[in-house]
PDB file of all heavy atoms in Angstrom:
ATOM      1  N   ASP A  35      -9.047 -80.845  75.489  1.00  0.00           N
ATOM      2  CA  ASP A  35      -7.700 -80.323  75.686  1.00  0.00           C
ATOM      3  C   ASP A  35      -7.111 -80.972  76.937  1.00  0.00           C
ATOM      4  O   ASP A  35      -7.834 -81.492  77.780  1.00  0.00           O
ATOM      5  CB  ASP A  35      -7.737 -78.807  75.898  1.00  0.00           C
ATOM      6  CG  ASP A  35      -7.793 -78.036  74.588  1.00  0.00           C
ATOM      7  OD1 ASP A  35      -7.554 -78.645  73.535  1.00  0.00           O
ATOM      8  OD2 ASP A  35      -8.084 -76.831  74.629  1.00  0.00           O
ATOM      9  N   ALA A  36      -5.795 -80.887  77.071  1.00  0.00           N
ATOM     10  CA  ALA A  36      -5.095 -81.526  78.187  1.00  0.00           C
ATOM     11  C   ALA A  36      -4.963 -80.588  79.384  1.00  0.00           C
ATOM     12  O   ALA A  36      -3.886 -80.143  79.735  1.00  0.00           O
ATOM     13  CB  ALA A  36      -3.725 -82.001  77.731  1.00  0.00           C
ATOM     14  N   ALA A  37      -6.085 -80.302  80.038  1.00  0.00           N
ATOM     15  CA  ALA A  37      -6.072 -79.504  81.266  1.00  0.00           C
ATOM     16  C   ALA A  37      -7.021 -80.165  82.257  1.00  0.00           C
ATOM     17  O   ALA A  37      -8.053 -80.707  81.878  1.00  0.00           O
ATOM     18  CB  ALA A  37      -6.511 -78.067  80.983  1.00  0.00           C
ATOM     19  N   ASP A  38      -6.661 -80.139  83.534  1.00  0.00           N
ATOM     20  CA  ASP A  38      -7.533 -80.727  84.551  1.00  0.00           C
ATOM     21  C   ASP A  38      -8.883 -80.013  84.547  1.00  0.00           C
ATOM     22  O   ASP A  38      -8.942 -78.784  84.455  1.00  0.00           O
ATOM     23  CB  ASP A  38      -6.883 -80.615  85.923  1.00  0.00           C
ATOM     24  CG  ASP A  38      -7.590 -81.443  86.978  1.00  0.00           C
ATOM     25  OD1 ASP A  38      -8.380 -82.348  86.607  1.00  0.00           O
ATOM     26  OD2 ASP A  38      -7.363 -81.201  88.175  1.00  0.00           O
ATOM     27  N   ASN A  39      -9.939 -80.773  84.612  1.00  0.00           N
ATOM     28  CA  ASN A  39     -11.330 -80.298  84.610  1.00  0.00           C
ATOM     29  C   ASN A  39     -11.757 -79.653  83.299  1.00  0.00           C
ATOM     30  O   ASN A  39     -12.829 -79.048  83.240  1.00  0.00           O
ATOM     31  CB  ASN A  39     -11.621 -79.375  85.793  1.00  0.00           C
ATOM     32  CG  ASN A  39     -11.539 -80.123  87.102  1.00  0.00           C
ATOM     33  OD1 ASN A  39     -11.988 -81.260  87.199  1.00  0.00           O
ATOM     34  ND2 ASN A  39     -10.948 -79.510  88.108  1.00  0.00           N
ATOM     35  N   ASN A  40     -10.948 -79.780  82.241  1.00  0.00           N
ATOM     36  CA  ASN A  40     -11.403 -79.332  80.927  1.00  0.00           C
ATOM     37  C   ASN A  40     -12.654 -80.127  80.598  1.00  0.00           C
ATOM     38  O   ASN A  40     -12.728 -81.323  80.846  1.00  0.00           O
ATOM     39  CB  ASN A  40     -10.312 -79.572  79.888  1.00  0.00           C
ATOM     40  CG  ASN A  40     -10.786 -79.210  78.498  1.00  0.00           C
ATOM     41  OD1 ASN A  40     -11.158 -80.094  77.746  1.00  0.00           O
ATOM     42  ND2 ASN A  40     -10.790 -77.938  78.172  1.00  0.00           N
ATOM     43  N   HIS A  41     -13.650 -79.450  80.018  1.00  0.00           N
ATOM     44  CA  HIS A  41     -14.928 -80.129  79.789  1.00  0.00           C
ATOM     45  C   HIS A  41     -15.619 -79.685  78.511  1.00  0.00           C
ATOM     46  O   HIS A  41     -15.349 -78.605  77.996  1.00  0.00           O
ATOM     47  CB  HIS A  41     -15.877 -79.905  80.972  1.00  0.00           C
ATOM     48  CG  HIS A  41     -16.242 -78.467  81.172  1.00  0.00           C
ATOM     49  ND1 HIS A  41     -15.616 -77.675  82.104  1.00  0.00           N
ATOM     50  CD2 HIS A  41     -17.140 -77.669  80.553  1.00  0.00           C
ATOM     51  CE1 HIS A  41     -16.130 -76.456  82.055  1.00  0.00           C
ATOM     52  NE2 HIS A  41     -17.057 -76.418  81.116  1.00  0.00           N
ATOM     53  N   VAL A  42     -16.520 -80.549  78.069  1.00  0.00           N
ATOM     54  CA  VAL A  42     -17.469 -80.245  77.009  1.00  0.00           C
ATOM     55  C   VAL A  42     -18.827 -80.710  77.521  1.00  0.00           C
ATOM     56  O   VAL A  42     -18.996 -81.877  77.861  1.00  0.00           O
ATOM     57  CB  VAL A  42     -17.141 -80.983  75.691  1.00  0.00           C
ATOM     58  CG1 VAL A  42     -18.193 -80.664  74.633  1.00  0.00           C
ATOM     59  CG2 VAL A  42     -15.750 -80.642  75.209  1.00  0.00           C
ATOM     60  N   TYR A  43     -19.763 -79.768  77.646  1.00  0.00           N
ATOM     61  CA  TYR A  43     -21.142 -80.078  78.019  1.00  0.00           C
ATOM     62  C   TYR A  43     -21.981 -79.817  76.776  1.00  0.00           C
ATOM     63  O   TYR A  43     -21.961 -78.707  76.246  1.00  0.00           O
ATOM     64  CB  TYR A  43     -21.645 -79.177  79.141  1.00  0.00           C
ATOM     65  CG  TYR A  43     -20.785 -79.120  80.385  1.00  0.00           C
ATOM     66  CD1 TYR A  43     -20.786 -77.986  81.187  1.00  0.00           C
ATOM     67  CD2 TYR A  43     -19.988 -80.175  80.791  1.00  0.00           C
ATOM     68  CE1 TYR A  43     -20.035 -77.906  82.350  1.00  0.00           C
ATOM     69  CE2 TYR A  43     -19.220 -80.110  81.942  1.00  0.00           C
ATOM     70  CZ  TYR A  43     -19.253 -78.971  82.716  1.00  0.00           C
ATOM     71  OH  TYR A  43     -18.500 -78.894  83.865  1.00  0.00           O
ATOM     72  N   ALA A  44     -22.704 -80.820  76.306  1.00  0.00           N
ATOM     73  CA  ALA A  44     -23.472 -80.674  75.066  1.00  0.00           C
ATOM     74  C   ALA A  44     -24.932 -81.050  75.290  1.00  0.00           C
ATOM     75  O   ALA A  44     -25.231 -82.078  75.890  1.00  0.00           O
ATOM     76  CB  ALA A  44     -22.871 -81.553  73.972  1.00  0.00           C
ATOM     77  N   GLN A  45     -25.823 -80.195  74.786  1.00  0.00           N
ATOM     78  CA  GLN A  45     -27.257 -80.449  74.845  1.00  0.00           C
ATOM     79  C   GLN A  45     -27.850 -80.191  73.471  1.00  0.00           C
ATOM     80  O   GLN A  45     -27.507 -79.184  72.828  1.00  0.00           O
ATOM     81  CB  GLN A  45     -27.935 -79.561  75.883  1.00  0.00           C
ATOM     82  CG  GLN A  45     -27.449 -79.884  77.294  1.00  0.00           C
ATOM     83  CD  GLN A  45     -28.329 -79.264  78.341  1.00  0.00           C
ATOM     84  OE1 GLN A  45     -28.292 -78.066  78.551  1.00  0.00           O
ATOM     85  NE2 GLN A  45     -29.123 -80.090  78.999  1.00  0.00           N
ATOM     86  N   LEU A  46     -28.719 -81.089  73.030  1.00  0.00           N
ATOM     87  CA  LEU A  46     -29.350 -80.933  71.735  1.00  0.00           C
ATOM     88  C   LEU A  46     -30.024 -79.574  71.677  1.00  0.00           C
ATOM     89  O   LEU A  46     -30.761 -79.189  72.585  1.00  0.00           O
ATOM     90  CB  LEU A  46     -30.362 -82.054  71.488  1.00  0.00           C
ATOM     91  CG  LEU A  46     -30.901 -82.154  70.070  1.00  0.00           C
ATOM     92  CD1 LEU A  46     -29.788 -82.386  69.055  1.00  0.00           C
ATOM     93  CD2 LEU A  46     -31.933 -83.271  69.987  1.00  0.00           C
ATOM     94  N   GLY A  47     -29.736 -78.834  70.621  1.00  0.00           N
ATOM     95  CA  GLY A  47     -30.224 -77.459  70.529  1.00  0.00           C
ATOM     96  C   GLY A  47     -31.185 -77.249  69.389  1.00  0.00           C
ATOM     97  O   GLY A  47     -32.000 -78.105  69.088  1.00  0.00           O
TER      98      GLY A  47
END
Side-chain angles (χ1 to χ4, degrees):
D35 277 347
D38 192 17
N39 294 320
N40 176 260
H41 63 261
V42 178
Y43 307 152
Q45 295 194 287
L46 191 59

